[in-house]
C-alpha cells in the first residue's frame, strides 16, 4: 500500500494540476511564496509602510506589568522552555508543532531581531484573523493555519511577489483562476481577503488529502506537489517533512520552520513582551454596502469625507481608482460610521460622479476623442508616492502600475512616469481651467471640495488640479485654496 502511494505521488508530480508552480517560467527558487530572502523583504516592507507611532493597549500593558517587564525589555528563554511551549501548542492543534533545532534558532532570531514585525502583524491580525478562523473552521482545518498568511504576505492583501503572486495568500494567476478568483483589468480577487481565504482553504484541504500530513501540505503549498514528490523519491521514499527536507528547494527548507516560528511568537507574544501595534482597522467596525452602479473612489472620498487610503485598505481588490459597474453589482467594505451617510447620499454620489468628473467609467464611454499625455516627476527628499499621487490628481496604485513598482519605496532622484487621460473638452494637465485672474476661497466649517465646487460652478477635478497636495478630507477652517 505504501509503495502504491509513493508511485501515485511520483506520477502526480508530472501533472501540476494543483501546483502554484509556474511550469513554463523560472525554477522554484523564483517561485511565488515569500520565504528566506523574500520573507525578509516582506518583513522589511511591512515595517517601512507602518510609520505610525505605536500606542500601548491598556490590557497588554497590565499583563506586561504583572510579568515585571520594562517597556524595552527583551525576555530570553532557554530552548527547553520554548520546547515545552511548543509541546503545549501541539496538544491543542492537529498541526504538529515540532521542536526542531531550526525552529529554535528561528525563534531566538525573531525574539531578538524581528520583534517589530511581530508587533505590526499582531496589529493587522485584528482585521483578518476572526474571518480566517471562521473560514478554516468551515473546512475543518487547523485554526493555526491563519499564521500562514503572515509569512506569505505580512497580512498585506496588496503585496505582490517578484514572480507575480498576489494577495494575503500569495496566489499565482493560474492558481487563482483555478479556484474561481476573478482577475481582470479593474478587479483582482486574489487581493480580496474573504474570497482568497476561501480559495486558500480549499487548496490547503486538497494538499492535506494528498499527503495526510500538514507539514508536507505546507511544503507543497510553497513549492508545489511536484517538487515535494521529487523530494520523496530522492529521499528513498520517506514520507515526513523532516526526512525529505534536505531534498527540498532551499526556500521550502525554511518554510515550515518559519511558519512554526511565527505561530509560536504570535501565540506567546505577551510572554516575549511584544505589544501589538495599533490595528489599521478593526473587523467589528466595518460593514458592507452594495453599489447600484460604478463609481470613482475620489467621489467617495470627496462626498463622504472618506480618505482614499482607507478606501483602498478596506477594498484592496480594485487595481485603480475605479469601482466598475458589473453584474452582479460590486459590494464594498465601509466604516460603520459612514454607512448612514452613504445611504442618505447614495443617489447624490452617482450624480456627483457623472457631473464633476468628466472621464466616463468603464462601459459608459461616449464618442469624444481621448488622448493620453505623459509627464515625468523627479523624486525629491521627503516625498512619498501618496504625496506625488495627490499632486498629479492620480492614485498610488496607478503610479505603481505606470512605473512597474513592486513597493512604495522611493529613491531621491528617481524619475516617475505620470499619465493623464484627457478628453477634448476637459481641463488640461496643468490645471489651468480659466484664463482669467486667480480666485481663492477660505475654508469654512463643514466644507469640502464637492460643496465648494457647487458654490462656484466648477468641478472637483478642477479644484484638485489647482491645489496639488491638498486633500478634500483634510481641509482646515481658515485654509485658503484656489478655485480659479
Amino acid at each position: 500500500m505504501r509503495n502504491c502511494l509513493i508511485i501515485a505521488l511520483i506520477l502526480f508530480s508530472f501533472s501540476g494540476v494543483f501546483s502554484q508552480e509556474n511550469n513554463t517560467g523560472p525554477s522554484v527558487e523564483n517561485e511565488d511564496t515569500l520565504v528566506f530572502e523574500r520573507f525578509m523583504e516582506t518583513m522589511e516592507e511591512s515595517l517601512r509602510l507602518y510609520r505610525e507611532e505605536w500606542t500601548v493597549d491598556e490590557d497588554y500593558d497590565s499583563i506586561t506589568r504583572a510579568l515585571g517587564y520594562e517597556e524595552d525589555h527583551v525576555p530570553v528563554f532557554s530552548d527547553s522552555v520554548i520546547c515545552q511551549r511548543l509541546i503545549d501548542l501541539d496538544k491543542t492543534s492537529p498541526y504538529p508543532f515540532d521542536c526542531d533545532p531550526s525552529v529554535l534558532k528561528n525563534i531566538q532570531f525573531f525574539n531578538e531581531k524581528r520583534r517589530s514585525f511581530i508587533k505590526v502583524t499582531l496589529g493587522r491580525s485584528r482585521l483578518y484573523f476572526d474571518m480566517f478562523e471562521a473560514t478554516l473552521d468551515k473546512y475543518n482545518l487547523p485554526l493555526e493555519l491563519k499564521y500562514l498568511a503572515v509569512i506569505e504576505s505580512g497580512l498585506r492583501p496588496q503585496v505582490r511577489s517578484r514572480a507575480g503572486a498576489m494577495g494575503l495568500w500569495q496566489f499565482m494567476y493560474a492558481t487563482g483562476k483555478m479556484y474561481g478568483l476573478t482577475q481582470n483589468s479593474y478587479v483582482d480577487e486574489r487581493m480580496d481577503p474573504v474570497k482568497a481565504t476561501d480559495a486558500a482553504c480549499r487548496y490547503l484541504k486538497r494538499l492535506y488529502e494528498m499527503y495526510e500530513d500538514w507539514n508536507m501540505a505546507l511544503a507543497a503549498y510553497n513549492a508545489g506537489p511536484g517538487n515535494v514528490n521529487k523530494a520523496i523519491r530522492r529521499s528513498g521514499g520517506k514520507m515526513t517533512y523532516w526526512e525529505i527536507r534536505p531534498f527540498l528547494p532551499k526556500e521550502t527548507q525554511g518554510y515550515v520552520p518559519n511558519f512554526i516560528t511565527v505561530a509560536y511568537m504570535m501565540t506567546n507574544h505577551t510572554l516575549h513582551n511584544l505589544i501589538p501595534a495599533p490595528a489599521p482597522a478593526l473587523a467589528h467596525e466595518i460593514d458592507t454596502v452594495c453599489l447600484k452602479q460604478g463609481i470613482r473612489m475620489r467621489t467617495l472620498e470627496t462626498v463622504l469625507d472618506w480618505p482614499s487610503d482607507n478606501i483602498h485598505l478596506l477594498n484592496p481588490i480594485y487595481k485603480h481608482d475605479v469601482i466598475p459597474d458589473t453584474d452582479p453589482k460590486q459590494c464594498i467594505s465601509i466604516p460603520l460610521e459612514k454607512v448612514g451617510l452613504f445611504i442618505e447620499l447614495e443617489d447624490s454620489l452617482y450624480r456627483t460622479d457623472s457631473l464633476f468628473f468628466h472621464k466616463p467609467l468603464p462601459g459608459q464611454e461616449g464618442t469624444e476623442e481621448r488622448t493620453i499625455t505623459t509627464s515625468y516627476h523627479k523624486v525629491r527628499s521627503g516625498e512619498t508616492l501618496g504625496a506625488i499621487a495627490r499632486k498629479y490628481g492620480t492614485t498610488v496604485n496607478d503610479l505603481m502600475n505606470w512605473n512597474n513598482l513592486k513597493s512604495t519605496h522611493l529613491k531621491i532622484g528617481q524619475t516617475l512616469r505620470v499619465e493623464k487621460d484627457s478628453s477634448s473638452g476637459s481641463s488640461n494637465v496643468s490645471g489651468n481651467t480659466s484664463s482669467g485672474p486667480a480666485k481663492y476661497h477660505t475654508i469654512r466649517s463643514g466644507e469640502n471640495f464637492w460643496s465648494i465646487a457647487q458654490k462656484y460652478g466648477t468641478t472637483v477635478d478642477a479644484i484638485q488640479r489647482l491645489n496639488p497636495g491638498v486633500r478634500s478630507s483634510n481641509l482646515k477652517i481658515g485654509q485658503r485654496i484656489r478655485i480659479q
Side-chain angles (χ1 to χ4, degrees), residues 120-362:
V120 169
T121 50
L122 281 167
R124 292 191 180 122
S125 71
R126 299 174 72 180
L127 179 58
Y128 299 117
F129 272 11
D130 285 348
M131 181 268 292
F132 287 178
E133 290 183 357
T135 311
L136 289 163
D137 181 68
K138 170 185 172 183
Y139 290 99
N140 196 29
L141 303 179
L143 301 186
E144 290 75 20
L145 292 178
K146 63 188 178 185
Y147 299 114
L148 194 64
V150 177
I151 66 170
E152 286 288 339
S153 64
L155 297 183
R156 291 180 293 124
Q158 290 169 311
V159 69
R160 179 187 182 95
S161 79
R162 288 175 294 177
M166 294 287 292
L168 290 167
W169 300 92
Q170 288 292 280
F171 273 101
M172 294 293 287
Y173 181 88
T175 315
K177 285 288 188 183
M178 183 188 304
Y179 281 88
L181 300 177
T182 298
Q183 299 165 73
N184 56 45
S185 296
Y186 285 94
V187 171
D188 191 335
E189 289 183 347
R190 291 179 295 170
M191 296 185 288
D192 184 311
V194 175
K195 293 182 179 180
T197 298
D198 188 87
C201 286
R202 286 183 279 129
Y203 185 42
L204 286 164
K205 188 176 182 69
R206 179 69 184 93
L207 293 173
Y208 180 75
E209 290 170 351
M210 290 172 55
Y211 298 102
E212 296 186 351
D213 181 287
W214 277 115
N215 282 335
M216 298 283 275
L218 261 59
Y221 189 93
N222 172 236
N227 282 298
V228 171
N229 296 343
K230 289 176 187 176
I232 292 173
R233 184 170 65 249
R234 290 168 181 167
S235 71
K238 304 296 184 183
M239 292 300 296
T240 71
Y241 172 79
W242 301 108
E243 289 176 315
I244 72 167
R245 185 172 178 246
F247 305 95
L248 289 168
K250 179 182 176 182
E251 292 187 357
T252 313
Q253 292 180 30
Y255 193 75
V256 168
N258 280 342
F259 170 78
I260 296 176
T261 296
V262 168
Y264 167 87
M265 293 298 293
M266 296 186 76
T267 301
N268 295 282
H269 64 275
T270 52
L271 295 173
H272 284 263
N273 199 23
L274 292 167
I275 309 304
L282 299 175
H284 67 270
E285 296 175 351
I286 301 168
D287 204 347
T288 301
V289 295
C290 293
L291 304 175
K292 296 177 182 177
Q293 62 185 62
I295 199 168
R296 293 165 181 81
M297 291 187 185
R298 203 183 308 174
T299 303
L300 296 172
E301 177 180 31
T302 302
V303 179
L304 300 182
D305 195 22
W306 183 14
S308 60
D309 291 347
N310 189 260
I311 300 175
H312 281 289
L313 171 69
L314 300 184
N315 300 278
I317 69 169
Y318 302 111
K319 299 164 71 173
H320 303 286
D321 188 42
V322 173
I323 301 173
D325 190 1
T326 59
D327 188 19
K329 300 301 183 183
Q330 292 291 315
C331 297
I332 62 172
S333 296
I334 184 172
L336 275 173
E337 61 186 29
K338 299 289 184 185
V339 172
L341 188 61
F342 173 87
I343 294 173
E344 178 184 350
L345 299 177
E346 183 175 11
D347 291 337
S348 299
L349 280 167
Y350 304 127
R351 287 196 299 270
T352 300
D353 196 74
S354 61
L355 287 172
F356 293 104
F357 293 107
H358 296 305
K359 179 182 176 182
L361 284 170

